[in-house]
Structures are given as structure tokens and as C-alpha cells.
Amino acid sequence: MTETIQQTDRPVDQPVEVSVSDLTVVYRTDLGELPAVSRASIDLVPGQITGLVGESGSGKSTLALAMLNAVPSPGRISSGSITVTGLGDVTKLAGRKLRHARGGTLGYVFQASQNSLNPLKTIGKQLLDLGRAHDVRDLRALVRRAAQLISEVGLDPDRVLDSYQHELSGGMRQRIGIVLALVLNARVLILDEPTTALDVLSQAAVLDIVRRVHRDSGLTTLIVTHDLGVVSEIADRLVVMYGGPNPEEGPATAVLHEPSHPYTRALIGAMARIVGDISAARVLPGRPPDLTTVPRQGCVFRDRCPLAMPVCAEEEPELVQWTPGRRRACHVEPTGVLS
Ligand SMILES: Nc1ncnc2c1ncn2[C@@H]1O[C@H](COP(=O)(O)OP(=O)(O)O)[C@@H](O)[C@H]1O
Ligand SMILES: [Mg+2]
């Protein structure tokens, strides 16, 4: 049933570059295998920047890693598919094909990537290692492409390629993370919390760069963040995440200004800077989802939801289109009740 709904209720009649469908990712714990991502579905459309938002612990990084089929042990993708144009279902790839998909098609900038460079090698040496790992024959062309990208992100290529990570600021390292993600000509760029560890000025600079490379290289971009301020500045579409099926998705402006799901409303209410009114800020009651506490039946948000009804404890709401371009998973009627 779910599959039928997802097929027919595609939010927009646009080509899809990446389609995550009904994806569940579990981690093995003392209590058995517990889902960190449960039946998540996301479409990434060429030319658009999609923002994936949710509180810490809602499974954003797990989902982003799953898109590269790179969920670390003790985690595994237990069901669902991730279809990428030209690659097929990434969850079925392994070995050389998978290695080439990572970087060759899917560019990834890790959470805290400013700390993920090798401290013992210059950036240039790491670039060559990357090229060799991907069987790049013309390493000079790779260096030329890197130099071009380094200039595009506003840095001096000669200096950067000769530098060790400790010689570069956090903002510079984040930019180099973006360069390394794109240097093998990836079409899809996935950035996990790209601004989180940066000061405000570096944050603005990095967002500006993401916007520019996205446009200039004609990318399909996913930006993963807990910060609604970031997505409000950069995202075309927004997908909200909360442990279970995505509560809500739609055009960023519409979702931010007219949130339909009680969780999105609570999240925005807790972020005064979106509305620019501190007095309007409310604390989001309760705790974010946790592997051990997420309800296994009904709506995952119901314990924190001010509008929960008896049905919410019984049935998990399906993600369905309720107005053109917008989908939500909630038993509460979308209009009237919430406003
Ligand atoms: N290696 C792991 N082993 C067990 N649980 C994990 C592991 N990594 C993440 N988790 C759990 O999975 C859930 C989602 O984590 P994560 O994807 O990092 O969320 P987010 O990026 O939204 O903060 C959390 O409850 C977290 O504790
Ligand atoms: Mg994370």
C-alpha cells in the first residue's frame, strides 16, 4: 500500500535523480536491532537544493550515509531502496562499483569534515590518493580540476595543495571537503551539517559557496542540518525528519511559513530566529527520538504532540500529498485545526 501511495503521490512531476524509498536502517544494540531511520522516503530533483532537517538523533546522518551505502557497523540497511540515475539501486552495489559510485556520482561532505582530513598528508597528496583509489588515469587533469574548484571556493590552489590540515582554518577545511567531494565530477552533492562547527561569518561563506557550486556545476544537492536558519537561506525543498516516516516535506518557503505537521510547527516554534521574534520562541517539549524510546506502533511523534488523538497510538500515518507539491504524515487534518 505504501508503495502505491509513494508512486502516485510524487510531489512534483519532475525528473528525480535520487529516490530514497521506504528506507529502514537499523543499529544492533543490547536490545536487538533498532531502527535509526524508519521507512524514510526522499526524492532529490536535479537542480534543486533539498534541506533535510530534524533534531539531533533523528537519523539524518544515518540516512545520508545510507545514500552512499556506507552505514557503519553495527548498522545496516534492513529494507527499502535508493535509486540513483545511472547507478540503479545503491543498496545493491558493492566492491568497485560502489567505490566508483562514491565520489564519481555521489559527492559527500562528512559531518565534522573539517576534522576528517588526514593530518599527516598535504591536501595535494590526499587528492592524488583519492584519484588512485578511483582508478583515475590522468592525475594531472585531476589536479587541474581540483585547482579550478579550489579557486571557485575562493582559495589559492597552490597554497592549499601544499598545506596540511592544521595550516587551514575550519572554514577553509570545509571548503576543501566540498572540493574533494566534487573533484571526481559527482552530480549529487550531499553535505552533512556543513556549517555546524563554524563561526557565523564562515557559515555564511560556506553557504554562499554551496549555492554557487550547486548552480555552476548543475548539481543535485542535499544539505543535512539541525539548523532551520541554514535551510531557510539555501534550500528549495525541505524534508523534515523524525525517526519514522518523514513528517512533512514541500517547498522550503511554504513549509517554513505554513508548517502543516505539528512536529514542524514545534521545531519552528523552538527556532525564534526564523520568525525573528524571541517572544514567539517556545521550547519543544519532551526529548528527541532515541533508538530505545521511539514508539514501535502508531505515530512516532505522538508522545510530544499537542494534537495527538487515540488513532495516533494505533496507526502509523502514511506520507501522502495533501496539497500540490506538499506531503505530510499526520492523522490530524491539515487545515483549520492547526491554524
Ligand atoms: N554506530 C551507532 N550505533 C548505535 N546507534 C547509533 C550509531 N550511530 C547512530 N546511532 C543512533 O541512531 C540514531 C540516529 O543517529 P544519527 O543518524 O547520527 O542522527 P542525527 O544525524 O539526526 O543526529 C541516534 O539515536 C543515534 O544514537
Ligand atoms: Mg548528524
Side-chain angles (χ1 to χ4, degrees):
M1 180 185 174
T2 312
E3 261 171 21
T4 328
I5 285 169
Q6 278 162 356
Q7 293 303 319
T8 53
D9 281 351
R10 276 259 152 75
V12 270
D13 287 333
Q14 282 167 309
V16 172
E17 177 99 36
V18 179
S19 180
V20 176
S21 179
D22 234 7
L23 187 79
T24 297
V25 183
V26 295
Y27 285 106
R28 201 174 57 246
T29 72
D30 293 345
L31 300 171
E33 285 194 320
L34 298 174
V37 173
S38 182
R39 302 184 49 216
S41 298
I42 297 182
D43 289 342
L44 302 186
V45 175
Q48 285 198 352
I49 299 181
T50 301
L52 180 65
V53 286
E55 288 164 280
S56 177
S58 57
K60 303 182 300 298
S61 293
T62 302
L63 174 59
L65 285 168
M67 292 170 87
L68 303 187
N69 196 352
V71 178
S73 176
R76 69 179 180 95
I77 295 171
S78 65
S79 63
S81 62
I82 300 163
T83 313
V84 178
T85 304
L87 293 179
D89 186 350
V90 176
T91 68
K92 304 262 187 320
L93 295 184
R96 193 158 171 267
K97 275 194 177 158
L98 180 58
R99 209 170 67 234
H100 281 207
R102 298 175 182 158
T105 305
L106 304 163
Y108 197 92
V109 183
F110 287 89
Q111 181 160 352
S113 76
Q114 60 272 27
N115 303 321
S116 71
L117 294 164
N118 185 331
L120 303 176
K121 292 183 176 181
T122 62
I123 305 301
K125 184 82 178 49
Q126 291 177 65
L127 172 69
L128 295 177
D129 287 350
L130 180 71
R132 287 191 196 100
H134 281 263
D135 307 321
V136 171
R137 287 204 203 101
D138 190 347
L139 290 174
R140 280 167 192 272
L142 183 74
V143 173
R144 279 198 300 276
R145 162 91 176 132
Q148 182 199 340
L149 281 167
I150 292 168
S151 303
E152 280 174 28
V153 301
L155 301 175
D156 173 359
D158 291 336
R159 192 187 142 205
V160 163
L161 290 170
D162 278 339
S163 296
Y164 291 87
Q165 74 156 47
H166 69 266
E167 296 171 308
L168 305 163
S169 71
M172 290 165 94
R173 282 183 238 158
Q174 190 62 269
R175 295 184 208 194
I176 291 159
I178 295 170
V179 168
L180 294 177
L182 294 177
V183 74
L184 297 163
N185 296 320
R187 300 190 313 268
V188 179
L189 177 61
I190 300 167
L191 305 120
D192 192 357
E193 304 278 3
T195 57
T196 300
L198 304 178
D199 62 76
V200 174
L201 284 181
S202 306
Q203 282 188 6
V206 164
L207 287 184
D208 198 43
I209 285 160
V210 171
R211 212 178 277 121
R212 224 174 39 235
V213 293
H214 168 82
R215 189 191 55 217
D216 294 350
S217 303
L219 301 174
T220 303
T221 300
L222 178 70
I223 188 156
V224 175
T225 177
H226 69 282
D227 187 341
L228 281 170
V230 166
V231 288
S232 74
E233 277 178 46
I234 200 167
D236 302 307
R237 282 189 72 75
L238 215 58
V239 177
V240 182
M241 196 154 176
Y242 191 82
N246 317 118
E248 170 156 21
E249 62 165 70
T253 318
V255 174
L256 289 170
H257 292 280
E258 292 176 333
S260 149
H261 194 287
Y263 176 62
T264 321
R265 287 182 72 96
L267 202 59
I268 291 170
M271 285 283 304
R273 59 191 268 204
I274 291 288
V275 289
D277 178 4
I278 296 285
S279 65
R282 293 181 301 275
V283 174
L284 184 53
R287 287 170 167 280
D290 172 298
L291 289 193
T292 55
T293 55
V294 166
R296 298 284 157 250
Q297 197 190 346
C299 173
V300 288
F301 183 57
R302 68 169 189 272
D303 290 342
R304 297 169 83 190
C305 181
L307 304 174
M309 308 179 291
V311 65
C312 306
E314 308 283 323
E315 282 173 36
E316 184 171 74
E318 296 285 347
L319 184 64
V320 290
Q321 179 164 309
W322 62 281
T323 193
R326 293 185 66 174
R327 297 198 291 181
R328 71 201 289 277
C330 183
H331 291 301
V332 181
E333 286 300 315
T335 50
V337 182
L338 288 171
S339 53

PDB file of all heavy atoms in Angstrom, residues 187-219:
ATOM      1  N   ARG A 187      27.664  14.294  -9.522  1.00  0.00           N
ATOM      2  CA  ARG A 187      26.481  15.097  -9.907  1.00  0.00           C
ATOM      3  C   ARG A 187      25.606  15.406  -8.705  1.00  0.00           C
ATOM      4  O   ARG A 187      24.769  16.284  -8.734  1.00  0.00           O
ATOM      5  CB  ARG A 187      25.607  14.328 -10.905  1.00  0.00           C
ATOM      6  CG  ARG A 187      26.233  13.943 -12.201  1.00  0.00           C
ATOM      7  CD  ARG A 187      25.142  13.427 -13.142  1.00  0.00           C
ATOM      8  NE  ARG A 187      24.253  12.468 -12.512  1.00  0.00           N
ATOM      9  CZ  ARG A 187      24.434  11.151 -12.527  1.00  0.00           C
ATOM     10  NH1 ARG A 187      25.484  10.639 -13.124  1.00  0.00           N
ATOM     11  NH2 ARG A 187      23.566  10.350 -11.943  1.00  0.00           N
ATOM     12  N   VAL A 188      25.760  14.557  -7.690  1.00  0.00           N
ATOM     13  CA  VAL A 188      24.942  14.718  -6.492  1.00  0.00           C
ATOM     14  C   VAL A 188      25.865  15.117  -5.353  1.00  0.00           C
ATOM     15  O   VAL A 188      26.889  14.472  -5.136  1.00  0.00           O
ATOM     16  CB  VAL A 188      24.218  13.390  -6.151  1.00  0.00           C
ATOM     17  CG1 VAL A 188      23.377  13.550  -4.888  1.00  0.00           C
ATOM     18  CG2 VAL A 188      23.361  12.919  -7.322  1.00  0.00           C
ATOM     19  N   LEU A 189      25.515  16.183  -4.650  1.00  0.00           N
ATOM     20  CA  LEU A 189      26.351  16.634  -3.529  1.00  0.00           C
ATOM     21  C   LEU A 189      25.544  16.506  -2.244  1.00  0.00           C
ATOM     22  O   LEU A 189      24.449  17.057  -2.128  1.00  0.00           O
ATOM     23  CB  LEU A 189      26.768  18.099  -3.759  1.00  0.00           C
ATOM     24  CG  LEU A 189      27.596  18.750  -2.651  1.00  0.00           C
ATOM     25  CD1 LEU A 189      28.911  18.012  -2.431  1.00  0.00           C
ATOM     26  CD2 LEU A 189      27.870  20.218  -2.985  1.00  0.00           C
ATOM     27  N   ILE A 190      26.090  15.738  -1.296  1.00  0.00           N
ATOM     28  CA  ILE A 190      25.424  15.545  -0.007  1.00  0.00           C
ATOM     29  C   ILE A 190      26.325  16.158   1.065  1.00  0.00           C
ATOM     30  O   ILE A 190      27.489  15.775   1.202  1.00  0.00           O
ATOM     31  CB  ILE A 190      25.212  14.034   0.274  1.00  0.00           C
ATOM     32  CG1 ILE A 190      24.349  13.407  -0.828  1.00  0.00           C
ATOM     33  CG2 ILE A 190      24.581  13.821   1.653  1.00  0.00           C
ATOM     34  CD1 ILE A 190      24.332  11.887  -0.815  1.00  0.00           C
ATOM     35  N   LEU A 191      25.794  17.125   1.805  1.00  0.00           N
ATOM     36  CA  LEU A 191      26.591  17.795   2.832  1.00  0.00           C
ATOM     37  C   LEU A 191      25.933  17.570   4.185  1.00  0.00           C
ATOM     38  O   LEU A 191      24.767  17.922   4.369  1.00  0.00           O
ATOM     39  CB  LEU A 191      26.657  19.298   2.565  1.00  0.00           C
ATOM     40  CG  LEU A 191      27.156  19.730   1.195  1.00  0.00           C
ATOM     41  CD1 LEU A 191      26.083  20.538   0.495  1.00  0.00           C
ATOM     42  CD2 LEU A 191      28.424  20.536   1.321  1.00  0.00           C
ATOM     43  N   ASP A 192      26.678  16.960   5.111  1.00  0.00           N
ATOM     44  CA  ASP A 192      26.114  16.687   6.433  1.00  0.00           C
ATOM     45  C   ASP A 192      26.576  17.758   7.412  1.00  0.00           C
ATOM     46  O   ASP A 192      27.770  17.855   7.711  1.00  0.00           O
ATOM     47  CB  ASP A 192      26.556  15.288   6.899  1.00  0.00           C
ATOM     48  CG  ASP A 192      25.774  14.816   8.119  1.00  0.00           C
ATOM     49  OD1 ASP A 192      24.929  15.592   8.627  1.00  0.00           O
ATOM     50  OD2 ASP A 192      26.003  13.683   8.565  1.00  0.00           O
ATOM     51  N   GLU A 193      25.664  18.561   7.896  1.00  0.00           N
ATOM     52  CA  GLU A 193      25.943  19.642   8.847  1.00  0.00           C
ATOM     53  C   GLU A 193      27.158  20.475   8.414  1.00  0.00           C
ATOM     54  O   GLU A 193      28.116  20.626   9.173  1.00  0.00           O
ATOM     55  CB  GLU A 193      26.193  19.075  10.265  1.00  0.00           C
ATOM     56  CG  GLU A 193      25.081  18.209  10.826  1.00  0.00           C
ATOM     57  CD  GLU A 193      23.921  19.010  11.446  1.00  0.00           C
ATOM     58  OE1 GLU A 193      23.954  20.257  11.385  1.00  0.00           O
ATOM     59  OE2 GLU A 193      22.989  18.376  11.948  1.00  0.00           O
ATOM     60  N   PRO A 194      27.119  21.056   7.216  1.00  0.00           N
ATOM     61  CA  PRO A 194      28.324  21.724   6.718  1.00  0.00           C
ATOM     62  C   PRO A 194      28.695  22.996   7.464  1.00  0.00           C
ATOM     63  O   PRO A 194      29.824  23.459   7.343  1.00  0.00           O
ATOM     64  CB  PRO A 194      27.959  22.051   5.265  1.00  0.00           C
ATOM     65  CG  PRO A 194      26.481  22.124   5.247  1.00  0.00           C
ATOM     66  CD  PRO A 194      26.011  21.118   6.253  1.00  0.00           C
ATOM     67  N   THR A 195      27.766  23.555   8.230  1.00  0.00           N
ATOM     68  CA  THR A 195      28.079  24.833   8.871  1.00  0.00           C
ATOM     69  C   THR A 195      28.149  24.736  10.387  1.00  0.00           C
ATOM     70  O   THR A 195      28.480  25.719  11.053  1.00  0.00           O
ATOM     71  CB  THR A 195      26.984  25.874   8.532  1.00  0.00           C
ATOM     72  OG1 THR A 195      25.725  25.350   8.960  1.00  0.00           O
ATOM     73  CG2 THR A 195      26.919  26.168   7.051  1.00  0.00           C
ATOM     74  N   THR A 196      27.853  23.561  10.922  1.00  0.00           N
ATOM     75  CA  THR A 196      27.629  23.451  12.361  1.00  0.00           C
ATOM     76  C   THR A 196      28.808  23.907  13.216  1.00  0.00           C
ATOM     77  O   THR A 196      28.631  24.584  14.213  1.00  0.00           O
ATOM     78  CB  THR A 196      27.248  21.990  12.703  1.00  0.00           C
ATOM     79  OG1 THR A 196      26.063  21.703  11.975  1.00  0.00           O
ATOM     80  CG2 THR A 196      26.967  21.816  14.181  1.00  0.00           C
ATOM     81  N   ALA A 197      30.030  23.538  12.812  1.00  0.00           N
ATOM     82  CA  ALA A 197      31.171  23.854  13.681  1.00  0.00           C
ATOM     83  C   ALA A 197      31.808  25.204  13.358  1.00  0.00           C
ATOM     84  O   ALA A 197      32.853  25.545  13.880  1.00  0.00           O
ATOM     85  CB  ALA A 197      32.208  22.743  13.560  1.00  0.00           C
ATOM     86  N   LEU A 198      31.160  25.983  12.495  1.00  0.00           N
ATOM     87  CA  LEU A 198      31.804  27.209  12.018  1.00  0.00           C
ATOM     88  C   LEU A 198      31.232  28.458  12.665  1.00  0.00           C
ATOM     89  O   LEU A 198      30.080  28.483  13.092  1.00  0.00           O
ATOM     90  CB  LEU A 198      31.625  27.318  10.492  1.00  0.00           C
ATOM     91  CG  LEU A 198      32.124  26.130   9.664  1.00  0.00           C
ATOM     92  CD1 LEU A 198      31.824  26.366   8.190  1.00  0.00           C
ATOM     93  CD2 LEU A 198      33.615  25.918   9.886  1.00  0.00           C
ATOM     94  N   ASP A 199      32.058  29.524  12.719  1.00  0.00           N
ATOM     95  CA  ASP A 199      31.543  30.796  13.209  1.00  0.00           C
ATOM     96  C   ASP A 199      30.600  31.382  12.152  1.00  0.00           C
ATOM     97  O   ASP A 199      30.552  30.915  11.010  1.00  0.00           O
ATOM     98  CB  ASP A 199      32.697  31.757  13.502  1.00  0.00           C
ATOM     99  CG  ASP A 199      33.483  32.067  12.254  1.00  0.00           C
ATOM    100  OD1 ASP A 199      32.989  32.858  11.426  1.00  0.00           O
ATOM    101  OD2 ASP A 199      34.571  31.493  12.078  1.00  0.00           O
ATOM    102  N   VAL A 200      29.862  32.415  12.548  1.00  0.00           N
ATOM    103  CA  VAL A 200      28.777  32.916  11.692  1.00  0.00           C
ATOM    104  C   VAL A 200      29.262  33.384  10.316  1.00  0.00           C
ATOM    105  O   VAL A 200      28.631  33.107   9.298  1.00  0.00           O
ATOM    106  CB  VAL A 200      28.021  34.052  12.427  1.00  0.00           C
ATOM    107  CG1 VAL A 200      26.985  34.686  11.510  1.00  0.00           C
ATOM    108  CG2 VAL A 200      27.358  33.509  13.669  1.00  0.00           C
ATOM    109  N   LEU A 201      30.414  34.061  10.292  1.00  0.00           N
ATOM    110  CA  LEU A 201      30.908  34.554   9.003  1.00  0.00           C
ATOM    111  C   LEU A 201      31.321  33.409   8.089  1.00  0.00           C
ATOM    112  O   LEU A 201      31.010  33.398   6.897  1.00  0.00           O
ATOM    113  CB  LEU A 201      32.090  35.514   9.208  1.00  0.00           C
ATOM    114  CG  LEU A 201      31.713  36.909   9.687  1.00  0.00           C
ATOM    115  CD1 LEU A 201      32.957  37.760   9.834  1.00  0.00           C
ATOM    116  CD2 LEU A 201      30.710  37.575   8.738  1.00  0.00           C
ATOM    117  N   SER A 202      32.006  32.412   8.673  1.00  0.00           N
ATOM    118  CA  SER A 202      32.406  31.255   7.853  1.00  0.00           C
ATOM    119  C   SER A 202      31.182  30.480   7.396  1.00  0.00           C
ATOM    120  O   SER A 202      31.154  29.944   6.281  1.00  0.00           O
ATOM    121  CB  SER A 202      33.314  30.309   8.636  1.00  0.00           C
ATOM    122  OG  SER A 202      34.399  30.999   9.164  1.00  0.00           O
ATOM    123  N   GLN A 203      30.155  30.424   8.244  1.00  0.00           N
ATOM    124  CA  GLN A 203      28.903  29.749   7.858  1.00  0.00           C
ATOM    125  C   GLN A 203      28.321  30.397   6.614  1.00  0.00           C
ATOM    126  O   GLN A 203      27.963  29.720   5.651  1.00  0.00           O
ATOM    127  CB  GLN A 203      27.854  29.878   8.971  1.00  0.00           C
ATOM    128  CG  GLN A 203      28.069  28.952  10.118  1.00  0.00           C
ATOM    129  CD  GLN A 203      26.887  28.983  11.094  1.00  0.00           C
ATOM    130  OE1 GLN A 203      25.874  29.624  10.837  1.00  0.00           O
ATOM    131  NE2 GLN A 203      27.043  28.291  12.194  1.00  0.00           N
ATOM    132  N   ALA A 204      28.246  31.711   6.644  1.00  0.00           N
ATOM    133  CA  ALA A 204      27.663  32.436   5.509  1.00  0.00           C
ATOM    134  C   ALA A 204      28.498  32.195   4.261  1.00  0.00           C
ATOM    135  O   ALA A 204      27.956  31.985   3.169  1.00  0.00           O
ATOM    136  CB  ALA A 204      27.589  33.929   5.828  1.00  0.00           C
ATOM    137  N   ALA A 205      29.829  32.192   4.416  1.00  0.00           N
ATOM    138  CA  ALA A 205      30.711  31.988   3.260  1.00  0.00           C
ATOM    139  C   ALA A 205      30.516  30.591   2.679  1.00  0.00           C
ATOM    140  O   ALA A 205      30.439  30.420   1.461  1.00  0.00           O
ATOM    141  CB  ALA A 205      32.168  32.200   3.667  1.00  0.00           C
ATOM    142  N   VAL A 206      30.411  29.584   3.557  1.00  0.00           N
ATOM    143  CA  VAL A 206      30.253  28.205   3.071  1.00  0.00           C
ATOM    144  C   VAL A 206      28.908  28.044   2.352  1.00  0.00           C
ATOM    145  O   VAL A 206      28.831  27.441   1.281  1.00  0.00           O
ATOM    146  CB  VAL A 206      30.417  27.186   4.228  1.00  0.00           C
ATOM    147  CG1 VAL A 206      29.879  25.819   3.835  1.00  0.00           C
ATOM    148  CG2 VAL A 206      31.877  27.073   4.626  1.00  0.00           C
ATOM    149  N   LEU A 207      27.850  28.639   2.914  1.00  0.00           N
ATOM    150  CA  LEU A 207      26.539  28.537   2.253  1.00  0.00           C
ATOM    151  C   LEU A 207      26.569  29.204   0.881  1.00  0.00           C
ATOM    152  O   LEU A 207      25.995  28.707  -0.085  1.00  0.00           O
ATOM    153  CB  LEU A 207      25.449  29.175   3.116  1.00  0.00           C
ATOM    154  CG  LEU A 207      25.048  28.386   4.365  1.00  0.00           C
ATOM    155  CD1 LEU A 207      23.887  29.069   5.077  1.00  0.00           C
ATOM    156  CD2 LEU A 207      24.686  26.951   4.026  1.00  0.00           C
ATOM    157  N   ASP A 208      27.268  30.334   0.821  1.00  0.00           N
ATOM    158  CA  ASP A 208      27.396  31.044  -0.440  1.00  0.00           C
ATOM    159  C   ASP A 208      28.101  30.164  -1.479  1.00  0.00           C
ATOM    160  O   ASP A 208      27.692  30.088  -2.641  1.00  0.00           O
ATOM    161  CB  ASP A 208      28.205  32.313  -0.169  1.00  0.00           C
ATOM    162  CG  ASP A 208      28.020  33.308  -1.274  1.00  0.00           C
ATOM    163  OD1 ASP A 208      26.869  33.461  -1.706  1.00  0.00           O
ATOM    164  OD2 ASP A 208      29.026  33.884  -1.721  1.00  0.00           O
ATOM    165  N   ILE A 209      29.138  29.456  -1.028  1.00  0.00           N
ATOM    166  CA  ILE A 209      29.891  28.570  -1.928  1.00  0.00           C
ATOM    167  C   ILE A 209      29.029  27.398  -2.379  1.00  0.00           C
ATOM    168  O   ILE A 209      29.019  27.032  -3.556  1.00  0.00           O
ATOM    169  CB  ILE A 209      31.175  28.091  -1.221  1.00  0.00           C
ATOM    170  CG1 ILE A 209      32.172  29.242  -1.210  1.00  0.00           C
ATOM    171  CG2 ILE A 209      31.747  26.858  -1.886  1.00  0.00           C
ATOM    172  CD1 ILE A 209      33.238  29.089  -0.173  1.00  0.00           C
ATOM    173  N   VAL A 210      28.292  26.824  -1.429  1.00  0.00           N
ATOM    174  CA  VAL A 210      27.425  25.691  -1.789  1.00  0.00           C
ATOM    175  C   VAL A 210      26.436  26.139  -2.864  1.00  0.00           C
ATOM    176  O   VAL A 210      26.237  25.472  -3.875  1.00  0.00           O
ATOM    177  CB  VAL A 210      26.674  25.144  -0.556  1.00  0.00           C
ATOM    178  CG1 VAL A 210      25.618  24.121  -0.972  1.00  0.00           C
ATOM    179  CG2 VAL A 210      27.651  24.523   0.436  1.00  0.00           C
ATOM    180  N   ARG A 211      25.850  27.302  -2.638  1.00  0.00           N
ATOM    181  CA  ARG A 211      24.881  27.832  -3.601  1.00  0.00           C
ATOM    182  C   ARG A 211      25.527  27.995  -4.976  1.00  0.00           C
ATOM    183  O   ARG A 211      24.953  27.638  -5.992  1.00  0.00           O
ATOM    184  CB  ARG A 211      24.404  29.202  -3.092  1.00  0.00           C
ATOM    185  CG  ARG A 211      22.989  29.545  -3.443  1.00  0.00           C
ATOM    186  CD  ARG A 211      22.590  30.893  -2.853  1.00  0.00           C
ATOM    187  NE  ARG A 211      22.170  30.849  -1.472  1.00  0.00           N
ATOM    188  CZ  ARG A 211      22.738  31.518  -0.472  1.00  0.00           C
ATOM    189  NH1 ARG A 211      23.791  32.289  -0.679  1.00  0.00           N
ATOM    190  NH2 ARG A 211      22.274  31.427   0.753  1.00  0.00           N
ATOM    191  N   ARG A 212      26.748  28.515  -4.998  1.00  0.00           N
ATOM    192  CA  ARG A 212      27.436  28.788  -6.266  1.00  0.00           C
ATOM    193  C   ARG A 212      27.837  27.507  -6.998  1.00  0.00           C
ATOM    194  O   ARG A 212      27.564  27.351  -8.182  1.00  0.00           O
ATOM    195  CB  ARG A 212      28.655  29.672  -6.006  1.00  0.00           C
ATOM    196  CG  ARG A 212      28.741  30.760  -7.027  1.00  0.00           C
ATOM    197  CD  ARG A 212      29.817  31.775  -6.797  1.00  0.00           C
ATOM    198  NE  ARG A 212      31.059  31.234  -6.290  1.00  0.00           N
ATOM    199  CZ  ARG A 212      31.654  31.661  -5.183  1.00  0.00           C
ATOM    200  NH1 ARG A 212      31.101  32.601  -4.475  1.00  0.00           N
ATOM    201  NH2 ARG A 212      32.787  31.141  -4.798  1.00  0.00           N
ATOM    202  N   VAL A 213      28.475  26.566  -6.260  1.00  0.00           N
ATOM    203  CA  VAL A 213      28.900  25.343  -6.969  1.00  0.00           C
ATOM    204  C   VAL A 213      27.678  24.539  -7.401  1.00  0.00           C
ATOM    205  O   VAL A 213      27.682  23.911  -8.455  1.00  0.00           O
ATOM    206  CB  VAL A 213      29.865  24.432  -6.150  1.00  0.00           C
ATOM    207  CG1 VAL A 213      31.201  25.103  -5.943  1.00  0.00           C
ATOM    208  CG2 VAL A 213      29.272  23.995  -4.846  1.00  0.00           C
ATOM    209  N   HIS A 214      26.643  24.584  -6.597  1.00  0.00           N
ATOM    210  CA  HIS A 214      25.400  23.894  -6.964  1.00  0.00           C
ATOM    211  C   HIS A 214      24.906  24.406  -8.315  1.00  0.00           C
ATOM    212  O   HIS A 214      24.584  23.634  -9.211  1.00  0.00           O
ATOM    213  CB  HIS A 214      24.351  24.120  -5.874  1.00  0.00           C
ATOM    214  CG  HIS A 214      22.967  23.703  -6.277  1.00  0.00           C
ATOM    215  ND1 HIS A 214      22.539  22.410  -6.220  1.00  0.00           N
ATOM    216  CD2 HIS A 214      21.930  24.418  -6.789  1.00  0.00           C
ATOM    217  CE1 HIS A 214      21.298  22.339  -6.657  1.00  0.00           C
ATOM    218  NE2 HIS A 214      20.901  23.548  -7.007  1.00  0.00           N
ATOM    219  N   ARG A 215      24.898  25.717  -8.442  1.00  0.00           N
ATOM    220  CA  ARG A 215      24.383  26.329  -9.675  1.00  0.00           C
ATOM    221  C   ARG A 215      25.365  26.127 -10.838  1.00  0.00           C
ATOM    222  O   ARG A 215      24.978  25.639 -11.899  1.00  0.00           O
ATOM    223  CB  ARG A 215      24.173  27.831  -9.425  1.00  0.00           C
ATOM    224  CG  ARG A 215      23.456  28.566 -10.520  1.00  0.00           C
ATOM    225  CD  ARG A 215      23.550  30.065 -10.296  1.00  0.00           C
ATOM    226  NE  ARG A 215      24.939  30.488 -10.167  1.00  0.00           N
ATOM    227  CZ  ARG A 215      25.358  31.445  -9.341  1.00  0.00           C
ATOM    228  NH1 ARG A 215      24.517  32.084  -8.574  1.00  0.00           N
ATOM    229  NH2 ARG A 215      26.645  31.769  -9.286  1.00  0.00           N
ATOM    230  N   ASP A 216      26.630  26.427 -10.598  1.00  0.00           N
ATOM    231  CA  ASP A 216      27.606  26.385 -11.697  1.00  0.00           C
ATOM    232  C   ASP A 216      27.853  24.976 -12.209  1.00  0.00           C
ATOM    233  O   ASP A 216      28.131  24.777 -13.384  1.00  0.00           O
ATOM    234  CB  ASP A 216      28.934  27.020 -11.255  1.00  0.00           C
ATOM    235  CG  ASP A 216      28.771  28.504 -10.978  1.00  0.00           C
ATOM    236  OD1 ASP A 216      27.693  29.048 -11.309  1.00  0.00           O
ATOM    237  OD2 ASP A 216      29.701  29.108 -10.421  1.00  0.00           O
ATOM    238  N   SER A 217      27.796  23.979 -11.311  1.00  0.00           N
ATOM    239  CA  SER A 217      28.059  22.613 -11.763  1.00  0.00           C
ATOM    240  C   SER A 217      26.773  21.852 -12.041  1.00  0.00           C
ATOM    241  O   SER A 217      26.810  20.644 -12.304  1.00  0.00           O
ATOM    242  CB  SER A 217      28.887  21.855 -10.709  1.00  0.00           C
ATOM    243  OG  SER A 217      30.082  22.538 -10.438  1.00  0.00           O
ATOM    244  N   GLY A 218      25.629  22.523 -11.948  1.00  0.00           N
ATOM    245  CA  GLY A 218      24.347  21.881 -12.256  1.00  0.00           C
ATOM    246  C   GLY A 218      24.093  20.658 -11.390  1.00  0.00           C
ATOM    247  O   GLY A 218      23.729  19.596 -11.880  1.00  0.00           O
ATOM    248  N   LEU A 219      24.272  20.795 -10.070  1.00  0.00           N
ATOM    249  CA  LEU A 219      24.206  19.640  -9.168  1.00  0.00           C
ATOM    250  C   LEU A 219      22.793  19.372  -8.664  1.00  0.00           C
ATOM    251  O   LEU A 219      21.886  20.195  -8.823  1.00  0.00           O
ATOM    252  CB  LEU A 219      25.098  19.900  -7.947  1.00  0.00           C
ATOM    253  CG  LEU A 219      26.573  20.154  -8.206  1.00  0.00           C
ATOM    254  CD1 LEU A 219      27.260  20.529  -6.908  1.00  0.00           C
ATOM    255  CD2 LEU A 219      27.231  18.935  -8.836  1.00  0.00           C
TER     256      LEU A 219
END
